[in-house]
Amino acid sequence: MKCGSGIEARQVNELFINIDPIQAGGRLTGDAIKAIIAYGDGYSVCDNCRKPNRLDCISKPPIAEFHKEVAAWLNMDAARMMPGARRGFQAVAHTYVNKGDPVLLTSLSHYTEFLAVEEAGGVACEIPADGRHIVTPELTAIKIEEVRKKFGKNPVLALIDQVDYQYGNRHDVAGIAKVAHQYDVPVLCNGAYTVGILPVDGKALGVDFVVGSGHKSMAAPAPSGVLAATAERAKDVFRTTAIEGDVTGRKFGIKEPELMGCTLMGATLVGMMASFPHVKERVKHFDRELANNRIVMDALLSIEGTKILSEYPRKHTLTRVDTTGSFDTVAGSHKKKGFYFSSALNDKGIFGLIPGATRIWKFNTYGMTEKQARYLADAFVAVARENGLPIKS
Ligand SMILES: *Cc1c(COP(=O)(O)O)cnc(C)c1O
């Protein structure tokens, strides 16, 4: 099948078990696919836009209701949809950070958090993770003291990943937020790998902002995401426009400058809304996801020489492994070199491994059935056996 102009229909998720770390939680639901078809036209959600003319106030389709539900679901006071988690970081950084201000990130932060700080003119101050690749409240306190000495003031903002993209480790955001608040530092919880995957409660975390990614973790089309805030912080980040034209005297009502007025239109927003009931349900069953991850982990660890670099037992399905002592040992003598590994898995219907990677790589078992997890587990062991690697009994 072609979509015209030489564009092949993509069939990855139809034909393969997809373990690509960034794709597993974003796969669309059937309802999202229907929404994309129905609302593909650009400003389609604007058919029934009435005063006060802002995206999150539209009631047909039920966009206003959706915004309220998302805020309540995250246990925050207000929410806006954003074109990606990164635009959430950007809106918050732009609100609080001035040129030369220190901003707390972590040594495991995503590049988009750095860019948000850079664009606002801030200085990146990384809280180092400990030897287990975990960012702790203790290390946060030490870093803040360091920053105070160096800059003569407190950091103006902290961006903290609840689960980081490198190891898929869980970090004590609640403990970190408590420390940060002792220094009046507002805290943004980066839930790119958690919102839509497992239950996230902003008030229990004690954070000022929760950011999620629609296309990474909420079964939504790209670019989509959410920025939720406490009532106090919503006043800052979701402030309304004050500008006035000097010739026409025009003003722009309740449009919000950090959001450039309106954000997600058409298919992205309605796709996100269509998946939302499914997403709300699935976060309640994260234990099943961990059980499936365990099946695959046990199989990988049964292959002699394989190491897990993520915290163990796992608290998230995104996992980093080191197969330098197993799969990599045959790469040198294989006619396909390191490509044998991803290629053998592809042949077994598994997609999402970086071609050529045999040393350190990541996979994500999120969203698979138990049967698929067993299939994947068996596939790893089969590839090991086919290449003469010893299996522990
Ligand atoms: C993927 C990711 C992001 C970026 O999310 P977008 O929605 O694509 O902007 C930010 N932070 C972390 C930790 C991520 O894994």
Side-chain angles (χ1 to χ4, degrees):
M1 195 177 112
K2 293 233 194 305
C3 313
S5 351
I7 305 165
E8 296 273 356
R10 175 178 183 257
Q11 302 188 82
V12 168
N13 293 323
E14 289 80 358
L15 302 179
F16 294 89
I17 293 176
N18 186 353
I19 59 170
D20 186 325
I22 66 174
Q23 292 185 356
R27 269 185 307 245
L28 298 181
T29 58
D31 282 334
I33 293 169
K34 283 192 224 166
I36 287 175
I37 295 167
Y39 281 87
D41 286 342
Y43 289 116
S44 53
V45 293
C46 310
D47 290 344
N48 296 295
C49 182
R50 305 280 179 267
K51 284 212 160 8
N53 298 107
R54 201 173 66 199
L55 181 77
D56 60 292
C57 303
I58 294 171
S59 59
K60 199 180 155 204
I63 297 170
E65 189 57 33
F66 173 65
H67 279 76
K68 286 199 187 85
E69 281 179 21
V70 170
W73 175 65
L74 294 170
N75 200 9
M76 296 293 277
D77 301 313
R80 298 288 186 272
M81 301 312 128
M82 304 297 283
R86 63 196 71 198
R87 296 292 179 181
F89 312 148
Q90 185 183 39
V92 173
H94 188 247
T95 298
Y96 294 102
V97 182
N98 291 311
K99 199 161 170 44
D101 283 343
V103 179
L104 286 183
L105 298 162
T106 82
S107 63
L108 299 172
S109 286
H110 195 255
Y111 81 93
T112 54
E113 294 169 290
F114 278 84
L115 299 198
V117 172
E118 178 173 23
E119 212 205 12
V123 180
C125 303
E126 296 172 277
I127 308 163
D130 67 12
R132 304 163 303 150
H133 310 291
I134 309 265
V135 181
T136 64
E138 294 71 30
L139 290 165
T140 304
I142 294 168
K143 188 70 189 192
I144 294 176
E145 286 299 339
E146 249 177 64
V147 168
R148 284 160 60 86
K149 267 200 205 104
K150 189 167 162 203
F151 290 81
K153 59 178 166 184
N154 289 337
V156 296
L157 176 67
L159 306 168
I160 308 294
D161 297 19
Q162 194 176 16
V163 164
D164 69 86
Y165 76 98
Q166 298 191 40
Y167 293 89
N169 286 351
R170 288 274 278 271
H171 306 281
D172 177 8
V173 173
I176 292 168
K178 214 171 194 177
V179 170
H181 284 162
Q182 284 166 9
Y183 296 89
D184 296 321
V185 183
V187 177
L188 179 152
C189 168
N190 177 2
Y193 268 113
T194 55
V195 172
I197 298 294
L198 49 90
V200 175
D201 180 330
K203 294 273 158 70
L205 292 171
V207 294
D208 302 86
F209 300 99
V210 174
V211 167
S213 172
H215 50 263
K216 184 176 271 154
S217 297
M218 299 174 78
S224 60
V226 55
L227 167 60
T230 58
E232 183 200 347
R233 298 296 179 180
K235 285 195 206 110
D236 301 335
V237 174
F238 304 143
R239 67 194 177 279
T240 53
T241 172
I243 201 164
E244 196 176 325
D246 71 337
V247 172
T248 60
R250 284 179 302 154
K251 293 186 194 166
F252 305 95
I254 61 161
K255 292 284 201 295
E256 296 162 345
E258 287 301 350
L259 282 74
M260 292 305 292
C262 295
T263 54
L264 302 193
M265 299 147 195
T268 44
L269 178 63
V270 187
M272 203 180 184
M273 288 167 59
S275 277
F276 187 53
H278 303 280
V279 164
K280 271 206 289 198
E281 184 54 33
R282 77 185 193 181
V283 299
K284 296 178 193 159
H285 305 293
F286 190 61
D287 53 333
R288 287 185 207 154
E289 302 293 337
L290 289 180
N292 286 341
N293 179 269
R294 182 70 192 244
I295 292 169
V296 178
M297 279 316 309
D298 286 349
L300 278 170
L301 290 172
S302 77
I303 303 162
E304 208 84 63
T306 297
K307 285 193 209 129
I308 171 161
L309 301 177
S310 301
E311 64 183 333
Y312 197 76
R314 302 294 305 122
K315 294 177 186 162
H316 195 275
T317 54
L318 165 66
T319 302
R320 185 171 169 119
V321 289
D322 180 353
T323 52
T324 310
S326 54
F327 290 113
D328 189 57
T329 60
V330 287
S333 55
H334 202 286
K335 65 177 188 303
K336 291 188 183 168
K337 299 292 174 210
F339 291 90
Y340 88 93
F341 186 48
S342 56
S343 156
L345 289 167
N346 274 170
D347 291 345
K348 294 182 194 299
I350 293 150
F351 178 93
L353 242 98
I354 296 171
T358 51
R359 290 179 189 162
I360 292 172
W361 48 280
K362 298 187 286 187
F363 68 97
N364 194 346
T365 54
Y366 193 79
M368 56 181 73
T369 61
E370 187 187 329
K371 196 170 167 193
Q372 287 173 323
R374 293 202 183 281
Y375 179 87
L376 176 62
D378 291 346
F380 280 132
V381 173
V383 176
R385 278 218 173 86
E386 284 157 19
N387 289 282
L389 295 173
I391 313 291
K392 295 175 203 159
S393 51

